[in-house]
Amino acid sequence: GTSGHCRKKQFRFAYGGFAPLVAMLVVFFAKDMYILKFGANTTRVSCVAIVWSLAFPCMYPIVGYLMDREPPILAIKNWGRRAPWFAVHLIPLALTIGLIYLPGLFWQPETGSVFLDVWLAICLFAASWCLSVLLNSLESSRAEIYPFKDERTIVEAMSKPVGVMAATAGLAPQLALWASSSMAMRFAISIGFFM
């Protein structure tokens, strides 16, 4: 059996993982950037990171439960159960990732400011919820759309280069931020992450 999808559609599905993978890299390294470049308080950021590390894995099954039990957020014909959740959470994720390196938006809070910790916590938790939705949607819909092993293997193989592209897109701007964390650089990179 087959899903009837051509290779182009299969690649388009595999490419759906690009944005979540980029966002995961941004979220993963955010706390380091806050401590080393923005001067956030290490004790408070460590507390935020610990709570986030404990909460993030718990979000995944909660999201899965909600996606299975609740009606779709958007009722669009032929979209199925997962696609509306995916589409609705892409925009908040893009906004969160775009804003994560802009604490204070147009001013830099003082070194050690509580505002840095609060901003980081809000961005981490918002991005984590959205990532849980997107990754849950991708993984569960892959099994539903491609129920046969041969076809699913092809889609998985297409996901590998997408992962490499996402790693480059997620890490290269952050390396630039390590070199120069000026507001102009942060603003440019944040716009890039949002796009």
Coordinates of all heavy atoms in Angstrom, one line a residue, residues 94-180:
A94 N 7.0 31.4 16.1 CA 7.9 32.4 15.4 C 8.0 33.7 16.1 O 9.1 34.2 16.2 CB 7.3 32.6 14.0
L95 N 7.0 34.2 16.7 CA 7.1 35.4 17.5 C 8.0 35.2 18.8 O 8.8 36.0 19.1 CB 5.7 35.8 18.0 CG 4.8 36.5 16.9 CD1 3.4 36.6 17.5 CD2 5.3 37.8 16.5
T96 N 7.8 34.1 19.4 CA 8.6 33.8 20.6 C 10.1 33.7 20.3 O 10.9 34.3 20.9 CB 8.1 32.5 21.3 OG1 6.7 32.7 21.6 CG2 8.9 32.3 22.6
I97 N 10.4 33.0 19.2 CA 11.8 32.8 18.8 C 12.3 34.1 18.3 O 13.5 34.4 18.6 CB 11.9 31.7 17.8 CG1 11.5 30.3 18.4 CG2 13.3 31.6 17.2 CD1 12.2 29.9 19.6
G98 N 11.5 34.9 17.6 CA 11.9 36.2 17.2 C 12.2 37.2 18.3 O 13.1 38.0 18.2
L99 N 11.5 37.0 19.5 CA 11.7 37.9 20.6 C 12.6 37.4 21.7 O 12.9 38.2 22.6 CB 10.3 38.2 21.2 CG 9.3 39.0 20.3 CD1 7.9 39.0 21.0 CD2 9.8 40.3 20.0
I100 N 13.0 36.2 21.6 CA 13.8 35.6 22.8 C 15.1 36.4 23.0 O 15.5 36.5 24.2 CB 14.0 34.1 22.5 CG1 14.4 33.4 23.9 CG2 15.1 33.8 21.5 CD1 14.3 31.9 23.8
Y101 N 15.7 36.9 22.0 CA 17.0 37.6 22.2 C 16.8 39.1 22.2 O 17.7 39.9 22.0 CB 18.0 37.2 21.1 CG 18.5 35.8 21.2 CD1 18.6 34.9 20.2 CD2 18.8 35.3 22.5 CE1 19.0 33.6 20.3 CE2 19.3 34.0 22.6 CZ 19.4 33.2 21.6 OH 19.8 31.9 21.7
L102 N 15.6 39.5 22.4 CA 15.3 41.0 22.5 C 14.6 41.3 23.8 O 13.6 41.9 23.9 CB 14.4 41.4 21.3 CG 14.9 41.3 19.9 CD1 13.9 41.6 18.9 CD2 16.1 42.2 19.8
P103 N 15.3 41.0 24.9 CA 14.7 41.4 26.2 C 14.6 42.9 26.3 O 15.6 43.6 26.0 CB 15.6 40.8 27.3 CG 16.9 40.6 26.6 CD 16.6 40.4 25.1
G104 N 13.5 43.4 26.7 CA 13.3 44.9 26.7 C 13.1 45.5 25.4 O 12.9 46.7 25.3
L105 N 13.0 44.7 24.3 CA 12.8 45.1 23.0 C 13.8 46.1 22.5 O 14.6 45.8 21.7 CB 11.4 45.5 22.7 CG 10.3 44.5 22.9 CD1 8.9 45.0 22.7 CD2 10.5 43.3 21.9
F106 N 13.7 47.3 22.9 CA 14.6 48.3 22.3 C 15.6 48.9 23.3 O 16.2 49.9 23.1 CB 13.8 49.4 21.7 CG 13.0 48.9 20.5 CD1 11.6 48.8 20.6 CD2 13.6 48.5 19.3 CE1 10.9 48.3 19.5 CE2 12.9 48.0 18.3 CZ 11.5 47.9 18.4
W107 N 15.7 48.3 24.5 CA 16.7 48.7 25.4 C 17.3 47.4 26.1 O 16.6 46.4 26.2 CB 16.2 49.6 26.5 CG 15.2 49.0 27.5 CD1 15.6 48.5 28.7 CD2 13.8 48.8 27.3 NE1 14.5 48.0 29.3 CE2 13.4 48.1 28.5 CE3 12.9 49.0 26.3 CZ2 12.1 47.7 28.7 CZ3 11.6 48.6 26.5 CH2 11.2 48.0 27.7
Q108 N 18.5 47.5 26.6 CA 19.1 46.4 27.3 C 18.9 46.5 28.8 O 19.3 47.5 29.4 CB 20.6 46.3 27.0 CG 21.3 45.3 27.7 CD 20.9 43.9 27.3 OE1 20.7 43.6 26.2 NE2 20.9 43.0 28.3
P109 N 18.1 45.6 29.4 CA 18.0 45.7 30.9 C 19.4 45.6 31.5 O 20.3 45.1 31.0 CB 17.2 44.4 31.2 CG 16.5 44.1 29.9 CD 17.4 44.5 28.8
E110 N 19.4 46.1 32.7 CA 20.7 46.1 33.5 C 21.2 44.7 33.7 O 20.4 43.7 33.8 CB 20.5 46.8 34.8 CG 20.2 48.3 34.7 CD 20.0 48.9 36.1 OE1 20.6 48.4 37.0 OE2 19.3 49.9 36.1
T111 N 22.5 44.5 33.8 CA 23.1 43.2 34.1 C 22.5 42.7 35.4 O 22.4 43.4 36.4 CB 24.6 43.4 34.3 OG1 25.1 43.9 33.0 CG2 25.3 42.1 34.6
G112 N 22.1 41.5 35.4 CA 21.5 40.8 36.6 C 20.1 41.2 36.9 O 19.5 40.8 37.9
S113 N 19.4 41.9 36.0 CA 18.1 42.3 36.2 C 17.1 41.1 36.2 O 17.3 40.1 35.5 CB 17.7 43.2 35.0 OG 16.3 43.4 35.0
V114 N 16.1 41.2 37.1 CA 15.1 40.2 37.2 C 14.3 40.1 35.9 O 13.8 39.0 35.5 CB 14.2 40.4 38.4 CG1 13.0 39.5 38.4 CG2 14.9 40.4 39.7
F115 N 14.2 41.2 35.2 CA 13.5 41.3 34.0 C 14.1 40.3 32.9 O 13.3 39.6 32.2 CB 13.5 42.7 33.4 CG 12.7 42.8 32.1 CD1 11.3 42.8 32.1 CD2 13.4 42.9 30.9 CE1 10.6 42.9 30.9 CE2 12.7 43.0 29.7 CZ 11.3 43.0 29.7
L116 N 15.4 40.1 32.9 CA 16.0 39.2 32.0 C 15.5 37.7 32.3 O 15.2 37.0 31.4 CB 17.5 39.2 32.1 CG 18.2 40.4 31.5 CD1 19.7 40.4 32.0 CD2 18.1 40.4 30.0
D117 N 15.4 37.4 33.6 CA 15.0 36.0 33.9 C 13.6 35.8 33.6 O 13.2 34.7 33.1 CB 15.2 35.8 35.4 CG 16.6 36.2 35.9 OD1 17.6 36.0 35.1 OD2 16.8 36.8 37.0
V118 N 12.7 36.8 33.9 CA 11.3 36.7 33.6 C 11.1 36.6 32.1 O 10.3 35.7 31.6 CB 10.5 37.9 34.2 CG1 9.1 37.9 33.7 CG2 10.6 37.9 35.7
W119 N 11.8 37.4 31.3 CA 11.7 37.4 29.8 C 12.1 36.0 29.3 O 11.4 35.4 28.5 CB 12.5 38.5 29.2 CG 12.4 38.6 27.7 CD1 13.1 38.1 26.8 CD2 11.4 39.4 27.1 NE1 12.7 38.5 25.5 CE2 11.6 39.3 25.7 CE3 10.3 40.2 27.5 CZ2 10.8 39.9 24.7 CZ3 9.6 40.9 26.6 CH2 9.8 40.7 25.2
L120 N 13.2 35.5 29.8 CA 13.7 34.2 29.4 C 12.7 33.1 29.7 O 12.4 32.2 28.9 CB 15.0 33.9 30.0 CG 15.6 32.5 29.7 CD1 15.9 32.3 28.3 CD2 16.8 32.2 30.6
A121 N 12.1 33.1 30.9 CA 11.2 32.1 31.4 C 9.9 32.2 30.5 O 9.4 31.1 30.0 CB 10.8 32.3 32.8
I122 N 9.4 33.3 30.2 CA 8.2 33.4 29.4 C 8.5 32.9 28.0 O 7.7 32.1 27.4 CB 7.7 34.9 29.3 CG1 7.1 35.3 30.6 CG2 6.7 35.1 28.2 CD1 6.9 36.8 30.8
C123 N 9.6 33.3 27.4 CA 10.0 32.8 26.1 C 10.2 31.3 26.0 O 9.7 30.6 25.1 CB 11.2 33.6 25.5 SG 10.9 35.3 25.1
L124 N 10.9 30.8 27.0 CA 11.1 29.3 27.1 C 9.8 28.5 27.2 O 9.7 27.5 26.4 CB 12.0 29.0 28.3 CG 13.5 29.3 28.1 CD1 14.3 28.9 29.4 CD2 14.1 28.6 26.9
F125 N 9.0 28.9 28.1 CA 7.7 28.2 28.3 C 6.8 28.3 27.1 O 6.2 27.3 26.7 CB 7.1 28.5 29.6 CG 7.8 27.9 30.8 CD1 8.8 28.5 31.4 CD2 7.4 26.6 31.2 CE1 9.5 27.9 32.5 CE2 8.1 26.0 32.2 CZ 9.1 26.6 32.9
A126 N 6.7 29.5 26.5 CA 5.8 29.7 25.3 C 6.3 28.9 24.2 O 5.6 28.2 23.5 CB 5.7 31.2 25.0
A127 N 7.6 29.0 23.9 CA 8.2 28.2 22.8 C 8.1 26.7 23.0 O 7.9 25.9 22.1 CB 9.7 28.6 22.6
S128 N 8.3 26.3 24.3 CA 8.2 24.8 24.6 C 6.8 24.3 24.3 O 6.7 23.2 23.8 CB 8.6 24.6 26.0 OG 10.0 25.0 26.2
W129 N 5.8 25.1 24.7 CA 4.4 24.6 24.4 C 4.2 24.5 22.9 O 3.7 23.4 22.5 CB 3.4 25.6 25.1 CG 2.0 25.1 24.8 CD1 1.2 25.6 23.8 CD2 1.3 24.1 25.4 NE1 0.0 24.9 23.8 CE2 0.0 24.0 24.8 CE3 1.6 23.3 26.5 CZ2 -0.9 23.1 25.2 CZ3 0.6 22.3 26.9 CH2 -0.6 22.3 26.3
C130 N 4.6 25.5 22.2 CA 4.4 25.5 20.7 C 5.2 24.3 20.1 O 4.7 23.6 19.2 CB 4.8 26.8 20.1 SG 3.7 28.1 20.6
L131 N 6.5 24.1 20.6 CA 7.3 23.0 20.1 C 6.6 21.7 20.4 O 6.6 20.8 19.5 CB 8.7 23.1 20.7 CG 9.6 24.1 20.0 CD1 10.9 24.2 20.9 CD2 10.0 23.6 18.6
S132 N 6.1 21.5 21.6 CA 5.4 20.3 21.9 C 4.2 20.0 20.9 O 4.0 18.9 20.5 CB 4.8 20.3 23.3 OG 5.9 20.4 24.3
V133 N 3.5 21.0 20.6 CA 2.4 20.9 19.6 C 2.9 20.5 18.3 O 2.4 19.6 17.6 CB 1.5 22.2 19.6 CG1 0.5 22.1 18.4 CG2 0.8 22.4 20.9
L134 N 3.9 21.2 17.8 CA 4.4 21.0 16.4 C 5.1 19.6 16.3 O 4.8 18.9 15.3 CB 5.4 22.1 16.0 CG 4.9 23.5 16.0 CD1 6.0 24.5 15.6 CD2 3.7 23.6 15.0
L135 N 5.9 19.2 17.2 CA 6.6 18.0 17.2 C 5.6 16.8 17.3 O 5.7 15.8 16.6 CB 7.7 17.9 18.2 CG 8.8 18.8 18.0 CD1 9.8 18.8 19.1 CD2 9.5 18.6 16.7
N136 N 4.6 17.0 18.2 CA 3.6 16.0 18.4 C 2.8 15.8 17.1 O 2.5 14.7 16.7 CB 2.7 16.4 19.5 CG 2.1 15.2 20.3 OD1 1.7 14.2 19.7 ND2 2.1 15.3 21.6
S137 N 2.4 16.9 16.5 CA 1.7 16.9 15.2 C 2.5 16.2 14.1 O 1.9 15.3 13.4 CB 1.4 18.3 14.7 OG 0.6 19.0 15.6
L138 N 3.7 16.5 14.0 CA 4.5 15.9 13.0 C 4.7 14.4 13.2 O 4.5 13.6 12.2 CB 5.9 16.5 12.9 CG 6.1 17.8 12.2 CD1 7.5 18.4 12.4 CD2 5.8 17.6 10.7
E139 N 5.0 14.0 14.4 CA 5.2 12.6 14.6 C 4.0 11.7 14.5 O 4.0 10.7 13.9 CB 5.8 12.4 16.0 CG 7.2 12.9 16.1 CD 7.8 12.9 17.5 OE1 7.1 12.3 18.4 OE2 8.9 13.4 17.7
S140 N 2.9 12.2 15.0 CA 1.7 11.4 14.9 C 1.1 11.4 13.5 O 0.6 10.4 13.0 CB 0.6 11.9 15.9 OG 0.3 13.3 15.7
S141 N 1.2 12.6 12.8 CA 0.6 12.6 11.5 C 1.5 11.8 10.5 O 1.0 11.3 9.5 CB 0.4 14.0 11.0 OG 1.6 14.7 10.9
R142 N 2.8 11.7 10.7 CA 3.6 10.9 9.9 C 3.2 9.4 9.9 O 3.1 8.8 8.8 CB 5.1 11.0 10.3 CG 6.0 10.2 9.4 CD 7.5 10.3 9.7 NE 7.8 10.5 11.1 CZ 8.4 11.5 11.6 NH1 8.8 12.5 10.9 NH2 8.7 11.6 12.9
A143 N 2.8 8.9 11.1 CA 2.4 7.6 11.1 C 1.0 7.4 10.5 O 0.7 6.3 10.0 CB 2.3 7.1 12.6
E144 N 0.2 8.4 10.6 CA -1.2 8.3 10.0 C -1.1 8.5 8.5 O -1.8 7.8 7.7 CB -2.1 9.4 10.6 CG -2.4 9.2 12.0 CD -3.1 10.4 12.7 OE1 -3.5 11.3 12.0 OE2 -3.3 10.3 13.9
I145 N -0.3 9.4 8.0 CA -0.2 9.7 6.5 C 0.5 8.6 5.8 O 0.2 8.2 4.7 CB 0.4 11.0 6.2 CG1 -0.6 12.1 6.8 CG2 0.6 11.3 4.8 CD1 0.0 13.5 6.8
Y146 N 1.6 8.1 6.4 CA 2.5 7.1 5.8 C 2.5 5.8 6.7 O 3.4 5.6 7.4 CB 3.9 7.6 5.7 CG 3.9 8.9 4.9 CD1 4.2 10.1 5.5 CD2 3.7 8.9 3.5 CE1 4.2 11.3 4.7 CE2 3.7 10.1 2.8 CZ 4.0 11.3 3.4 OH 4.0 12.4 2.6
P147 N 1.4 5.0 6.6 CA 1.3 3.9 7.5 C 2.2 2.7 7.2 O 2.4 1.8 8.0 CB -0.2 3.5 7.4 CG -0.6 4.0 6.1 CD 0.2 5.2 5.8
F148 N 2.8 2.7 6.0 CA 3.6 1.6 5.5 C 5.1 1.9 5.7 O 5.5 3.0 5.4 CB 3.3 1.3 4.1 CG 1.8 0.9 3.9 CD1 0.9 1.8 3.4 CD2 1.3 -0.3 4.4 CE1 -0.4 1.5 3.2 CE2 0.0 -0.7 4.2 CZ -0.9 0.2 3.7
K149 N 5.8 1.0 6.2 CA 7.2 1.1 6.5 C 8.1 1.7 5.4 O 8.9 2.5 5.6 CB 7.8 -0.2 7.0 CG 9.2 -0.1 7.6 CD 9.7 -1.4 8.1 CE 10.1 -2.2 6.9 NZ 10.8 -3.5 7.2
D150 N 7.9 1.2 4.2 CA 8.7 1.6 3.1 C 8.6 3.1 2.8 O 9.6 3.8 2.6 CB 8.4 0.8 1.8 CG 8.7 -0.7 2.0 OD1 9.5 -1.1 2.8 OD2 8.1 -1.5 1.2
E151 N 7.4 3.5 2.8 CA 7.1 4.9 2.5 C 7.6 5.8 3.6 O 8.2 6.9 3.5 CB 5.6 5.1 2.2 CG 5.4 6.4 1.4 CD 3.9 6.4 0.9 OE1 3.0 5.8 1.6 OE2 3.7 7.1 -0.1
R152 N 7.3 5.4 4.9 CA 7.8 6.1 6.0 C 9.3 6.2 6.1 O 9.9 7.2 6.5 CB 7.2 5.5 7.3 CG 7.1 6.4 8.5 CD 6.3 5.9 9.6 NE 6.5 4.6 10.0 CZ 5.5 3.6 9.9 NH1 4.3 4.0 9.5 NH2 5.8 2.4 10.3
T153 N 10.0 5.2 5.7 CA 11.4 5.2 5.6 C 11.9 6.2 4.7 O 12.9 7.0 4.9 CB 12.0 3.8 5.2 OG1 11.5 2.8 6.2 CG2 13.5 3.8 5.2
I154 N 11.3 6.4 3.5 CA 11.7 7.4 2.5 C 11.5 8.8 3.1 O 12.4 9.7 3.0 CB 10.9 7.2 1.2 CG1 11.3 5.9 0.5 CG2 11.0 8.4 0.3 CD1 10.4 5.5 -0.6
V155 N 10.4 9.0 3.8 CA 10.1 10.3 4.4 C 11.1 10.6 5.5 O 11.6 11.7 5.6 CB 8.7 10.4 4.9 CG1 8.4 11.7 5.7 CG2 7.7 10.3 3.8
E156 N 11.5 9.6 6.3 CA 12.5 9.8 7.3 C 13.8 10.1 6.7 O 14.6 10.9 7.2 CB 12.6 8.5 8.2 CG 11.6 8.4 9.3 CD 11.7 9.6 10.2 OE1 12.8 9.9 10.7 OE2 10.7 10.1 10.5
A157 N 14.2 9.5 5.6 CA 15.4 9.8 4.9 C 15.4 11.2 4.4 O 16.5 11.9 4.4 CB 15.6 8.8 3.7
M158 N 14.3 11.7 4.0 CA 14.2 13.1 3.5 C 14.3 14.1 4.7 O 14.7 15.2 4.5 CB 12.9 13.4 2.8 CG 12.8 12.7 1.5 SD 11.1 12.9 0.8 CE 11.3 12.0 -0.8
S159 N 14.0 13.6 5.9 CA 14.0 14.4 7.1 C 15.5 14.7 7.5 O 15.7 15.7 8.2 CB 13.3 13.8 8.3 OG 11.9 13.7 8.0
K160 N 16.4 13.8 7.1 CA 17.8 14.0 7.6 C 18.4 15.3 7.0 O 19.0 16.1 7.7 CB 18.6 12.8 7.2 CG 18.1 11.5 7.7 CD 17.8 11.5 9.2 CE 17.3 10.2 9.7 NZ 16.5 10.2 10.8
P161 N 18.3 15.5 5.7 CA 18.9 16.8 5.2 C 18.2 18.0 5.7 O 18.8 19.1 5.9 CB 18.8 16.7 3.6 CG 18.1 15.4 3.3 CD 17.9 14.7 4.6
V162 N 16.9 17.9 6.0 CA 16.1 19.0 6.6 C 16.7 19.3 7.9 O 16.8 20.4 8.3 CB 14.6 18.6 6.6 CG1 13.9 19.6 7.5 CG2 14.0 18.5 5.2
G163 N 17.0 18.2 8.7 CA 17.7 18.4 10.0 C 19.0 19.2 9.9 O 19.3 20.0 10.7
V164 N 19.8 18.8 8.9 CA 21.1 19.5 8.7 C 20.9 21.0 8.4 O 21.6 21.8 8.9 CB 21.9 18.8 7.6 CG1 23.1 19.5 7.3 CG2 22.3 17.4 8.1
M165 N 19.9 21.2 7.5 CA 19.6 22.6 7.1 C 19.1 23.4 8.3 O 19.5 24.5 8.6 CB 18.6 22.7 6.0 CG 19.1 22.2 4.7 SD 17.9 22.4 3.3 CE 16.5 21.4 3.8
A166 N 18.3 22.8 9.2 CA 17.8 23.4 10.4 C 18.9 23.7 11.4 O 18.9 24.7 12.0 CB 16.7 22.5 11.0
A167 N 19.8 22.7 11.5 CA 21.0 23.0 12.4 C 21.8 24.2 12.0 O 22.2 25.0 12.8 CB 21.8 21.7 12.5
T168 N 22.0 24.3 10.7 CA 22.8 25.4 10.1 C 22.0 26.7 10.4 O 22.6 27.7 10.9 CB 23.0 25.2 8.6 OG1 23.7 24.0 8.5 CG2 23.8 26.4 8.1
A169 N 20.7 26.7 10.1 CA 19.9 27.9 10.2 C 19.7 28.3 11.7 O 19.5 29.5 12.0 CB 18.5 27.7 9.6
G170 N 19.7 27.3 12.6 CA 19.6 27.6 14.0 C 20.9 28.0 14.7 O 20.9 28.8 15.6
L171 N 22.0 27.4 14.3 CA 23.2 27.7 15.0 C 24.0 28.8 14.4 O 24.7 29.6 15.2 CB 24.1 26.4 15.0 CG 23.6 25.3 15.9 CD1 24.5 24.1 15.7 CD2 23.6 25.7 17.3
A172 N 24.0 29.0 13.1 CA 24.9 30.1 12.5 C 24.5 31.5 13.0 O 25.4 32.2 13.4 CB 24.7 30.0 11.0
P173 N 23.2 31.8 13.1 CA 23.0 33.2 13.7 C 23.4 33.3 15.2 O 23.8 34.3 15.6 CB 21.4 33.3 13.6 CG 21.0 32.3 12.5 CD 22.0 31.2 12.6
Q174 N 23.3 32.2 15.9 CA 23.7 32.2 17.3 C 25.2 32.4 17.4 O 25.7 33.0 18.3 CB 23.2 31.0 18.1 CG 21.7 31.0 18.2 CD 21.1 30.0 19.0 OE1 21.2 30.1 20.2 NE2 20.6 28.9 18.4
L175 N 25.9 31.8 16.5 CA 27.4 32.0 16.5 C 27.7 33.4 16.2 O 28.7 34.0 16.8 CB 28.0 31.0 15.5 CG 28.0 29.5 15.9 CD1 28.5 28.7 14.7 CD2 28.7 29.2 17.2
A176 N 27.0 34.0 15.4 CA 27.2 35.5 15.1 C 26.9 36.3 16.3 O 27.6 37.3 16.6 CB 26.3 35.9 13.9
L177 N 25.9 35.9 17.1 CA 25.5 36.6 18.3 C 26.7 36.4 19.4 O 26.9 37.3 20.2 CB 24.2 36.1 18.9 CG 23.0 36.7 18.5 CD1 21.8 36.0 19.1 CD2 23.0 38.2 18.7
W178 N 27.3 35.3 19.4 CA 28.4 35.1 20.3 C 29.5 36.1 20.0 O 30.2 36.6 20.8 CB 29.0 33.7 20.2 CG 28.1 32.7 20.9 CD1 27.3 31.7 20.3 CD2 27.8 32.6 22.3 NE1 26.6 31.0 21.2 CE2 26.9 31.5 22.5 CE3 28.2 33.2 23.4 CZ2 26.4 31.1 23.7 CZ3 27.8 32.9 24.7 CH2 26.9 31.8 24.8
A179 N 29.7 36.3 18.7 CA 30.8 37.3 18.2 C 30.4 38.7 18.6 O 31.2 39.5 19.0 CB 31.0 37.1 16.8
S180 N 29.2 39.1 18.3 CA 28.7 40.4 18.6 C 27.2 40.4 19.0 O 26.4 40.0 18.2 CB 28.8 41.3 17.3 OG 28.2 42.5 17.5

